[in-house]
Amino acid sequence: MKLKDLAEILEYSEDNLSNKLRNDNFSKRELRKIAEYLAHYMDKKVLLIDLDPQFNATQSMMNLFDMEEKYLNEFCKENRTVKKLFESTTEISERPQLPSASDLIIELDKNMSIILGTINLIFEDKNNSSARTKRVKKFIIENEIKNVYDYIFIDCPPTISLYTDAALIASNFYLVPIKVDRYSILGVQLLHQVIARLSYDEDLTLQPIGKVFTMIDSMTDKTKKIIETIENDEISKDIKSFATYTTYVRDLMVGNKGNIASKYSKSENDIREICKEFVERIENYDKL
């Protein structure tokens, strides 16, 4: 069984609000594209944490490093996935024991590491306790992960869930990739509500690093109008747009080099400019 086959059998039954957030308005592919490019072309040490039960980021990295069989036959069987962070204790009085960095982090090469996702996260989401939403943050702090990596990217599901909350609580910044269509404003508004609620409940200082328009086939008048509408929205306009947008590249869907942007010239140009601006924004955030 291939990893893509596992992803295809994953189904959800979610409330209306979650379904609107899942409308692919947030093209989460951009996160792993940025992570891979920073590691391999800008010499940054990067950790990618895959909190999405669809585990697409994990599939991309396992394909890129030819580790699909190792993932299925070794990492999953040894429980070396992010699921280990969220496992419940067997007794009420028992204190949760977080895994060590070496238990979970898979070093792919000298600059790129990953905490693997798994479809089995769907079984842990049933117990959405406040304590478990802090597990990722505690893992990062207790293992001093920030001292090892230049950037930590957390890929979370575009739903309201334990894993979305855990990702946001553990983060300093968030990036909003937006697929340009008529539902995009609603997606941005709902995301803002989720972050506002969580920031209030958890006293977070989570800040937007910006929004990236994605998968634009051609800059038609209709596309320009939608972008203009998004930019003028009261909530969206407070999230500064990146100067570069990503274009639709069919090879990222069907190309024999996989879905890594740096492998194709057209998408490589897009991701290079986005990464340059991303690094500049992080390093000069107080000036934005």
Side-chain angles (χ1 to χ4, degrees), residues 29 33 36-37 41 60 63-64 246-273:
R29 298 182 188 93
K33 292 176 188 176
E36 187 274 335
Y37 195 90
Y41 296 89
S60 292
N63 178 263
L64 177 64
T246 68
T247 51
Y248 175 78
V249 179
R250 180 168 170 75
D251 279 340
L252 288 172
M253 311 297 175
V254 299
N256 58 17
K257 297 179 184 178
N259 61 355
I260 301 299
S262 63
K263 301 300 180 183
Y264 308 98
S265 59
K266 189 176 181 181
S267 54
E268 194 273 339
N269 290 334
D270 295 341
I271 209 66
R272 180 181 63 248
E273 295 306 312

Side-chain angles (χ1 to χ4, degrees), residues 20-286:
K20 289 175 180 176
L21 278 173
R22 288 191 74 237
N23 199 292
D24 201 29
N25 294 320
F26 299 95
S27 180
K28 301 185 313 87
R29 298 182 188 93
E30 307 311 314
L31 195 67
R32 57 182 178 270
K33 292 176 188 176
I34 292 172
E36 187 274 335
Y37 195 90
L38 288 174
H40 295 152
Y41 296 89
M42 299 182 73
D43 198 29
K44 303 295 184 182
K45 286 190 71 67
V46 173
L47 173 64
L48 178 60
I49 303 176
D50 190 357
L51 291 185
D52 190 344
Q54 296 187 69
F55 68 109
N56 291 323
T58 294
Q59 294 179 63
S60 292
M61 293 301 110
M62 294 298 96
N63 178 263
L64 177 64
F65 288 92
D66 195 23
M67 297 174 71
E68 291 177 308
E69 292 300 321
K70 191 170 185 178
Y71 172 82
L72 290 170
N73 298 323
E74 182 179 327
F75 299 142
C76 286
K77 289 183 178 180
E78 295 174 357
N79 198 21
R80 293 190 68 188
T81 71
V82 74
K83 178 177 178 287
K84 199 175 183 69
L85 275 178
F86 297 97
E87 290 176 342
S88 301
T89 56
T90 57
E91 297 180 12
I92 294 176
S93 59
E94 184 180 353
R95 179 180 179 271
Q97 294 293 321
L98 290 178
S100 67
S102 60
D103 287 335
L104 282 190
I105 296 175
I106 307 297
E107 187 175 300
L108 301 172
D109 59 28
K110 70 181 184 71
N111 278 348
M112 187 87 199
S113 298
I114 188 170
I115 295 180
L116 299 164
T118 171
I119 193 173
N120 292 321
L121 280 177
I122 60 175
F123 301 115
E124 298 298 325
D125 197 21
K126 296 174 183 178
N127 178 9
N128 193 4
S129 70
S130 175
R132 296 209 308 163
T133 63
K134 300 177 177 66
R135 295 272 182 92
V136 177
K137 182 175 183 178
K138 285 181 178 294
F139 172 82
I140 291 172
I141 293 173
E142 290 183 12
N143 289 283
E144 300 181 336
I145 304 297
K146 290 184 179 181
N147 294 335
V148 180
Y149 298 97
D150 296 308
Y151 298 101
I152 301 171
F153 290 92
I154 306 176
D155 191 12
C156 63
T159 60
I160 299 170
S161 70
L162 160 67
Y163 307 118
T164 307
D165 286 1
L168 292 171
I169 287 172
S171 300
N172 300 110
F173 303 99
Y174 64 95
L175 177 70
V176 186
I178 302 176
K179 185 178 177 182
V180 180
D181 63 34
R182 60 182 180 176
Y183 301 109
S184 297
I185 289 182
L186 177 60
V188 173
Q189 291 171 342
L190 293 173
L191 178 66
H192 178 266
Q193 290 175 17
V194 171
I195 291 174
R197 181 263 305 167
L198 200 62
S199 295
Y200 177 80
D201 288 344
E202 303 293 342
D203 294 321
L204 303 182
T205 57
L206 189 61
Q207 300 295 329
I209 201 63
K211 60 181 182 286
V212 180
F213 294 106
T214 68
M215 299 178 67
I216 295 178
D217 195 7
S218 59
M219 192 57 78
T220 63
D221 289 342
K222 185 180 293 185
T223 299
K224 291 178 182 177
K225 180 66 175 177
I226 294 174
I227 290 176
E228 182 182 353
T229 302
I230 294 170
E231 295 284 27
N232 290 332
D233 177 71
E234 284 299 315
I235 292 173
S236 179
K237 69 182 181 182
D238 290 334
I239 305 174
K240 187 177 179 182
S241 296
F242 275 63
T244 302
Y245 57 83
T246 68
T247 51
Y248 175 78
V249 179
R250 180 168 170 75
D251 279 340
L252 288 172
M253 311 297 175
V254 299
N256 58 17
K257 297 179 184 178
N259 61 355
I260 301 299
S262 63
K263 301 300 180 183
Y264 308 98
S265 59
K266 189 176 181 181
S267 54
E268 194 273 339
N269 290 334
D270 295 341
I271 209 66
R272 180 181 63 248
E273 295 306 312
I274 287 171
C275 284
K276 286 165 59 177
E277 187 171 356
F278 174 85
V279 170
E280 183 178 347
R281 288 192 180 201
I282 292 290
E283 293 178 349
N284 299 284
Y285 184 80
D286 290 339

